[in-house]
Amino acid sequence: AAGLCGELLRDCTGGFLFPVTPAISLTAGLLFGWQGIAGTALGQLVAMWIVGASFSAAPIFSSSFAVTGVAGWVIFRFVPKLGRGLLNLRSYLWTLAAGFLGGLAGALLTMAPRYLVPPGERIGEWLWTWMTGALISVVLLAPPILLFFDRWGRRWMVPIPG
């Protein structure tokens, strides 16, 4: 549901709102593990179809946003002593690194089929736009969501092994 709402909100504003889906994917991966990543990917897929994306482009875009959640889960799984409640600067910086790496991987995924890059836009601009959008989304939205769940939603959080 979160992925669906994030994508619909962005599309309803005509794209003026920064992309919220990378932050939603990242926090879903950190809070709910693989189930959260799968849920946001499915929600984003449905949202893409609702807003009129083609059946071939929607799974690619949905996967490209879900990659941010995977990056977050992998980083918090394998880097020791990180807290999802952002208990120190190190945890926050690794959260930003997950947003950056997920944004880069998502941008590269959408560039694979060349027809998804808007006509007239250079590859560098596409990468820059995608990565900065993901990073801004993570900087502004992920910390409040993570802090909220750390304080009041621990019973719903899935443990991350490691």
Side-chain angles (χ1 to χ4, degrees):
L4 175 68
C5 292
E7 191 59 41
L8 289 176
L9 178 64
R10 182 176 178 273
D11 191 68
C12 289
T13 61
F16 292 119
L17 187 66
F18 61 88
V20 297
T21 46
I24 290 171
S25 295
L26 177 74
T27 55
L30 290 178
L31 297 172
F32 309 118
W34 290 104
Q35 297 90 348
I37 295 167
T40 56
L42 181 63
Q44 290 162 9
L45 180 65
V46 170
M48 293 298 292
W49 283 334
I50 288 173
V51 299
S54 70
F55 280 104
S56 62
I60 295 169
F61 278 117
S62 176
S63 300
S64 69
F65 287 125
V67 167
T68 309
V70 173
W73 187 87
V74 167
I75 285 175
F76 275 71
R77 164 76 171 86
F78 292 106
V79 175
K81 298 180 183 174
L82 295 180
R84 292 179 284 180
L86 304 177
L87 47 106
N88 55 33
L89 181 61
R90 186 171 179 264
S91 298
Y92 180 69
L93 293 175
W94 276 107
T95 304
L96 297 182
F100 177 79
L101 293 174
L104 176 61
L108 294 174
L109 185 61
T110 59
M111 287 173 32
R114 190 76 174 117
Y115 68 91
L116 291 179
V117 177
E121 188 161 359
R122 295 180 299 202
I123 298 298
E125 291 172 349
W126 180 255
L127 280 171
W128 176 258
T129 302
W130 198 275
M131 289 172 44
T132 55
L135 197 55
I136 289 170
S137 173
V138 168
V139 165
L140 295 177
L141 293 177
I145 294 169
L146 292 173
L147 290 171
F148 176 84
F149 272 89
D150 186 59
R151 174 76 177 182
W152 293 292
R154 281 202 167 268
R155 65 177 165 233
W156 296 303
M157 292 169 61
V158 172
I160 295 179

